[in-house]
Amino acid sequence: MKKEQVVNCQFSVWYPIFKKHTIKSLILPLPQNVIDYLLDDGTLVVSGSDHNTQQPHTNSASDAEEDIQWSDDETTTTVTAPEFPEFTSQVLEAINALGGRIFPKLNWSAPRDANWIALNSSLECHSLSDIFLLFKSSDFITHDLTQPFLQCSDQDSPDPVINYELVLRKWSELIPGGEFRCFVKENKLIAISQRDYTQYYQHILKQEDQICQAIQEFFNQHIQYNFLDEDFVFDVYRDSQGRVWLIDVNPFGEVTDSLLFGWEELKSGGEITQQQEGLAFRYTTSEVTVQPSPSLSYRIPRDFVDLSTGEDAYKLIDFLKLKKSQQEESDEEENTQQ
């Protein structure tokens, strides 16, 4: 995998090519001060002043106060949310243009590893605050911003200059069982994997031939020879009407999850063809083979979420009592030593 291949898989590169066959999206340049904020390891404080979209929504973890105060007997510290008025206005205008609900991502990645932090465990966003909450909690986003070429083979060559962008995609309710990852080598579709391989979907087993045929025809008619590289990975969604939509394009290499395949067999190509006649299609075949979601490793204990959001008032009260007790014990020890 070369650095050029990673560059070619940026959303703003492939979206104009396949715009007719994917979800409507808008792209905004990401200001440097916003990038600095996203990379700041300090306390997460997001502004709650941008909830002016036309679509109402329920309270979420991003509905934070602009100023948060922690006080004790000695000092008071105020943490103020950063403000990006011009960028906030651009984002709100774009969100409203897309119907008031969007799915956010950067040049390559979406914050799929951070949906745990949202109260509804969804990547659906209505405001810049929602986006910030997900982005600052996501390792995938941090990787995009700091190490996009980490696993490239041409490390001796200089890194290409990247202009970072916020991608806003019109929110669509996609059923995980309709998502598939497709692997292309030398402009030939060699393999398809169930995207959500941690679950068993009975309809995939029943419609295996139809799914393969629909994706192969979609590739032949719209994707093949139209992308900038011969080797790449693309994700599709097959809706209830059988129509196939392009969802994303990724580099052909270890930086992309190979799901139910291994990268050694994908790179060799011939091994897959020899093992299975025609197009190799792998999916979870029974509930016995269901696996835990890989994103679980990015999550934190439920109690932490309850405490941080105030969802469980009793846990919060117990936590505050514990902290008070610990403080009193500490004060007693100090007095004894004196």
Side-chain angles (χ1 to χ4, degrees):
M1 181 180 66
K2 304 292 185 180
K3 293 179 180 179
E4 183 181 7
Q5 291 176 281
V6 175
V7 170
N8 290 341
C9 287
Q10 292 182 98
F11 186 87
S12 59
V13 174
W14 66 260
Y15 180 71
I17 302 173
F18 304 113
K19 188 175 182 178
K20 294 180 180 179
H21 310 292
T22 190
I23 299 170
K24 182 180 180 181
S25 306
L26 294 174
I27 305 170
L28 300 175
L30 203 61
Q32 185 58 50
N33 61 342
V34 174
I35 296 175
D36 295 338
Y37 166 66
L38 292 176
L39 292 176
D40 181 9
D41 290 332
T43 304
L44 171 60
V45 184
V46 294
S47 171
S49 61
D50 58 354
H51 290 278
N52 296 319
T53 55
Q54 296 173 356
Q55 294 289 331
H57 68 288
T58 57
N59 292 333
S60 67
S62 63
D63 293 331
E65 295 290 340
E66 289 193 20
D67 295 323
I68 300 177
Q69 294 188 343
W70 294 268
S71 62
D72 53 34
D73 295 335
E74 298 179 358
T75 61
T76 298
T77 303
T78 301
V79 181
T80 304
E83 297 293 340
F84 312 100
E86 184 177 350
F87 184 63
T88 298
S89 178
Q90 294 174 356
V91 171
L92 288 177
E93 183 179 351
I95 290 176
N96 284 329
L98 293 171
R101 301 186 301 161
I102 59 93
F103 171 87
K105 62 179 296 181
L106 285 188
N107 300 41
W108 296 280
S109 302
R112 293 182 181 276
D113 58 326
N115 64 344
W116 55 267
I117 201 167
L119 289 182
N120 56 357
S121 296
S122 171
L123 297 181
E124 178 184 335
C125 294
H126 304 80
S127 68
L128 185 58
S129 294
D130 295 340
I131 297 170
F132 279 164
L133 185 66
L134 291 171
F135 277 14
K136 284 187 69 69
S137 307
S138 171
D139 289 343
F140 295 170
I141 295 299
T142 301
H143 176 273
D144 269 18
L145 294 172
T146 60
Q147 299 176 316
F149 307 109
L150 180 63
Q151 299 190 43
C152 293
S153 58
D154 52 344
Q155 288 296 323
D156 294 337
S157 64
D159 287 349
V161 176
I162 299 299
N163 296 315
Y164 283 99
E165 300 157 334
L166 173 63
V167 177
L168 305 177
R169 313 208 69 185
K170 184 179 178 65
W171 180 258
S172 302
E173 297 288 349
L174 303 184
I175 301 172
E179 296 182 87
F180 302 93
R181 173 154 290 178
C182 310
F183 301 88
V184 179
K185 183 174 177 59
E186 297 177 353
N187 270 320
K188 294 181 180 179
L189 181 59
I190 61 171
I192 301 173
S193 173
Q194 175 183 335
R195 185 73 173 83
D196 180 21
Y197 65 89
T198 65
Q199 301 296 320
Y200 168 63
Y201 298 99
Q202 191 175 30
H203 76 275
I204 297 180
L205 177 64
K206 294 181 177 180
Q207 302 175 17
E208 177 179 356
D209 292 340
Q210 296 96 311
I211 292 172
C212 282
Q213 181 179 352
I215 295 177
Q216 182 71 67
E217 290 179 355
F218 178 78
F219 172 73
N220 294 343
Q221 296 173 11
H222 307 298
I223 306 297
Q224 190 176 31
Y225 305 120
N226 289 326
F227 190 57
L228 301 178
D229 295 313
E230 292 184 344
D231 302 342
F232 59 97
V233 180
F234 67 98
D235 293 338
V236 297
Y237 179 76
R238 183 172 179 265
D239 63 25
S240 59
Q241 305 300 315
R243 181 175 177 179
V244 177
W245 299 84
L246 179 64
I247 300 299
D248 204 359
V249 179
N250 302 287
F252 189 89
E254 284 76 3
V255 70
T256 301
D257 192 340
S258 59
L259 303 180
L260 293 175
F261 291 91
W263 272 114
E264 289 187 7
E265 60 178 334
L266 287 169
K267 289 180 178 180
S268 64
E271 293 183 9
I272 299 179
T273 304
Q274 292 173 7
Q275 292 174 2
Q276 304 181 34
E277 295 182 5
L279 180 62
F281 180 30
R282 293 181 186 174
Y283 53 91
T284 301
T285 55
S286 71
E287 295 183 0
V288 177
T289 56
V290 167
Q291 305 175 42
S293 171
S295 63
L296 287 175
S297 61
Y298 297 98
R299 299 184 180 183
I300 61 175
R302 180 67 198 180
D303 286 351
F304 280 49
V305 178
D306 292 341
L307 286 173
S308 64
T309 61
E311 185 172 326
D312 191 326
Y314 293 104
K315 286 181 183 177
L316 181 59
I317 292 172
D318 290 341
F319 176 73
L320 293 174
K321 287 181 178 178
L322 175 62
K323 296 301 293 184
K324 181 180 180 181
S325 175
Q326 290 175 341
Q327 183 63 45
E328 291 175 349
E329 291 178 1
S330 177
D331 292 342
E332 289 178 1
E333 291 178 0
E334 290 181 0
N335 293 332
T336 302
Q337 293 175 357
Q338 293 176 356

